[in-house]
Amino acid sequence: MTQVRTRRRKRRKKNILRIVMFVSLLFLLGFGGAVSYFVYQLSNVTANTQLELERGEKSERREVAVDPAKDNISVLILGVDDRDGDLRGRTDAMLLATFNKDLGTINLLNIPRDSYVEIPGRINPDKINHAHSFGGLDLTIETVEHLFDIPVDYFVKLNFVAFVEIIDALGGVEVEVPFTFTEMDSQNNKEAITLYEGTQTLNGEEALAFTRMRKKDPRGDLGRGERQQEVIKGIISKGASLSSITSYGDVMQSVEDHMTTNLSFGNLIALHSYASGLNDIQSLSLAGSDARINGVYYYQLHDESVNELSDIFKTHLEITN
């Protein structure tokens, strides 16, 4: 009799377990359907935007390839002044980010495009944004590595079209406009965009104007760099929010057409662990002064600032020389 009761209790437990599993499956299929579709889209888009560097899967400054799921990494973000999709123009924006896995923290630096630097393989120093025209992604990455004496593990390169469409699909980004000014739009129509001082939610075209304006900023490239960092932070924060999930289809279509990266689908999933630290991104700046060399304007970097940032990046990446 006792054995019969025991068998009945086991059958009830199995039935309850089946019911729980069935309800859970329905819940996942219903509530998680959008997430599943997003993951499916992301995997496809990531595969289509993949571009392997000539150097291979790792920096020459690494003994072995890194994995964002368990290692500290660096990512170079490049904005290219290009509208036809070939992504071959000069880099109009260049931001370097380092990610510390244990701390869950992110450092973000804007590198002024007119920075006067040594470009490997070139006889004379030049503007850092010329590296992309001279030797594409590999030379651009090698130049940044040489400047800060650190490995650049990954890159993300996108053009103005992707920038505008991504921000529009995310419903805009909120920024603090420091003063009222006018700027050209993505089609180079002069004074087409007017931004007013104060906290504003900008659409794609307005955000592009916000990040491009330089001549009207009394701080020049430094002010422009801070504005670029502010918009990048806004994009990252919006992109990590599930409330934006209905917009991901539009974002991914633009990304597929106007962006390249060597980050894989698995890499992107691993970066989600930094989501809790997105509101605490450490913004860095590169000190320098205006200079004219042979009649050409350059941003002359201060050696002490370059060395200080090199040390900050090495510490954040936990690199020992």
Side-chain angles (χ1 to χ4, degrees):
M1 188 70 173
T2 303
Q3 291 178 346
V4 173
R5 286 177 183 156
T6 302
R7 285 197 297 269
R8 286 176 179 172
R9 280 198 295 267
K10 286 182 179 178
R11 280 199 297 269
R12 281 197 216 101
K13 287 180 180 178
K14 286 182 179 179
N15 289 336
I16 291 171
L17 180 60
R18 288 192 187 101
I19 292 170
V20 170
M21 291 176 65
F22 180 70
V23 172
S24 299
L25 180 60
L26 289 177
F27 178 77
L28 288 171
L29 288 174
F31 181 76
V35 177
S36 300
Y37 180 61
F38 159 66
V39 171
Y40 170 75
Q41 281 190 307
L42 180 59
S43 63
N44 285 339
V45 169
T46 306
N48 292 336
T49 59
Q50 281 279 286
L51 179 66
E52 185 176 350
L53 294 168
E54 291 179 9
R55 72 180 190 189
E57 65 175 348
K58 74 175 185 67
S59 167
E60 292 181 359
R61 295 170 184 262
R62 295 281 196 187
E63 292 183 3
V64 295
V66 292
D67 179 357
K70 59 183 180 180
D71 299 315
N72 303 325
I73 65 164
S74 59
V75 179
L76 186 63
I77 304 168
L78 302 171
V80 183
D81 187 357
D82 158 75
R83 296 168 186 81
D84 58 15
D86 64 10
L87 298 174
R88 294 177 183 173
R90 293 178 182 176
T91 48
D92 195 62
M94 186 179 297
L95 296 103
L96 178 63
T98 56
F99 297 74
N100 184 285
K101 187 65 179 176
D102 292 332
L103 300 175
T105 53
I106 305 169
N107 283 343
L108 184 64
L109 169 71
N110 172 74
I111 305 174
R113 65 178 186 175
D114 294 326
S115 297
Y116 191 61
V117 301
E118 291 183 3
I119 298 177
R122 306 291 295 185
I123 297 175
N124 299 315
D126 207 330
K127 295 183 179 184
I128 196 167
N129 74 328
H130 289 184
H132 192 263
S133 296
F134 294 146
L137 276 167
D138 278 86
L139 185 56
T140 300
I141 289 172
E142 188 180 354
T143 300
V144 174
E145 289 183 328
H146 179 74
L147 178 62
F148 295 112
D149 190 29
I150 64 167
V152 173
D153 302 306
Y154 297 99
F155 76 89
V156 176
K157 182 169 69 167
L158 70 164
N159 64 13
F160 288 170
V161 176
F163 183 86
V164 169
E165 291 183 358
I166 287 171
I167 290 176
D168 283 341
L170 291 174
V173 290
E174 186 176 287
V175 301
E176 187 69 27
V177 180
F179 51 85
T180 300
F181 66 88
T182 58
E183 180 62 28
M184 68 177 65
D185 61 14
S186 63
Q187 302 303 313
N188 291 331
N189 296 312
K190 294 183 178 180
E191 299 187 349
I193 305 291
T194 300
L195 300 180
Y196 297 93
E197 181 179 354
T199 303
Q200 310 284 347
T201 298
L202 307 183
N203 62 28
E205 282 283 355
E206 292 168 339
L208 181 61
F210 182 73
T211 59
R212 291 180 78 186
M213 188 275 288
R214 179 178 55 162
K215 293 182 179 179
K216 297 175 184 176
D217 192 323
R219 299 180 63 231
D221 242 346
L222 292 181
R224 181 175 182 265
E226 289 180 1
R227 283 181 273 112
Q228 289 176 350
Q229 287 176 319
E230 190 173 356
V231 171
I232 290 294
K233 287 181 182 180
I235 292 174
I236 293 173
S237 297
K238 271 288 190 77
S241 171
L242 284 177
S243 63
S244 302
I245 201 152
T246 55
S247 300
Y248 274 121
D250 294 335
V251 171
M252 289 186 190
Q253 183 60 56
S254 186
V255 163
E256 186 171 351
D257 294 339
H258 303 287
M259 191 188 90
T260 58
T261 182
N262 62 340
L263 284 162
S264 68
F265 175 66
N267 295 155
L268 292 174
I269 295 300
L271 289 177
H272 187 263
S273 62
Y274 291 92
S276 61
L278 291 180
N279 293 325
D280 191 29
I281 298 174
Q282 180 66 38
S283 295
L284 306 173
S285 59
L286 190 53
S289 54
D290 298 333
R292 285 204 169 271
I293 301 173
N294 297 324
V296 178
Y297 170 80
Y298 296 95
Y299 186 66
Q300 186 82 57
L301 302 179
H302 294 167
D303 290 340
E304 59 271 21
S305 179
V306 174
N307 293 333
E308 180 183 1
L309 286 166
S310 175
D311 290 339
I312 289 173
F313 286 136
K314 287 177 180 178
T315 300
H316 200 231
L317 292 170
E318 298 179 1
I319 291 175
T320 56
N321 289 17

